[in-house]
Each structure stands twice: as C-alpha cells, then as structure tokens.
C-alpha cells in the first residue's frame, strides 16, 4: 500500500506541475502538499476522496483561497 501511495503521489505531482506556466511554484507546492496528504483511515490520498475532481479548477480555487487568506491575515494583524 505504501508503494502504491508513493507512486500515485509522484504521478499526481507531475500532473500538478504541468500547470507551472499558469501558477506560481509556491502555489503548486502548497496545493500538492495539501491534496497529497494520506487519509490514515482509508489509506488514500486526499484528492482521491473526492468524487468529482478537476485539477485545473481546483488549482484556480486554491489560488483564490490563498489570496483571500493572505488578505485576511494582513488586515487581522494590522495595528
């Protein structure tokens, strides 16, 4: 099972980084780190848990979410 997860993780990483011309390396790494986490109960990667998966759509949402999160943390920490 560990070998399967590792292989699937590499395949997923290659698919994510095909979008390197559209998204920053920072966003792709954060996205990959989040969605490639293994669910300890099911033994599957987080992205496998979703029935409908569209990588490009998820990446766009991730960028929007990241930008919103940065704006909130900036205003939250302002004096």
């Amino acid at each position: 099972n560990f070998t399967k997860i590792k292989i699937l993780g590499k395949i997923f990483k290659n698919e994510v980084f095909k979008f390197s011309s559209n998204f920053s390396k920072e966003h792709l790494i954060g996205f990959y780190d989040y969605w490639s986490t293994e669910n300890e109960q099911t033994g599957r990667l987080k992205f496998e848990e979703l029935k409908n998966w569209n990588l490009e759509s998820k990446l766009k949402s991730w960028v929007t979410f990241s930008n919103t999160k940065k704006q909130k943390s900036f205003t939250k920490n302002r004096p």
Side-chain angles (χ1 to χ4, degrees):
N1 194 25
F2 175 75
T3 305
K4 178 189 167 220
I5 296 279
K6 198 168 185 171
I7 292 170
L8 189 56
K10 285 184 179 184
I11 293 169
F12 180 62
K13 188 173 191 175
N14 288 336
E15 290 299 312
V16 168
F17 279 87
K18 285 181 181 177
F19 290 91
S20 60
S21 61
N22 300 50
F23 303 98
S24 73
K25 186 176 180 180
E26 176 185 279
H27 286 293
L28 295 175
I29 290 170
F31 181 87
Y32 170 77
D33 287 347
Y34 177 80
W35 286 104
S36 65
T37 305
E38 182 181 354
N39 180 330
E40 292 180 15
Q41 293 177 340
T42 64
R44 294 170 24 172
L45 299 180
K46 189 173 278 196
F47 78 91
E48 293 180 281
E49 301 289 321
L50 299 179
K51 289 183 180 182
N52 298 319
W53 178 263
N54 181 311
L55 181 56
E56 186 172 13
S57 175
K58 288 289 182 193
L59 279 166
K60 287 177 183 176
S61 297
W62 185 263
V63 171
T64 303
F65 172 75
S66 282
N67 289 339
T68 304
K69 191 174 176 183
K70 284 180 186 176
Q71 289 173 355
K72 284 184 180 178
S73 64
F74 174 73
T75 54
K76 184 177 177 182
N77 295 328
R78 282 178 82 181

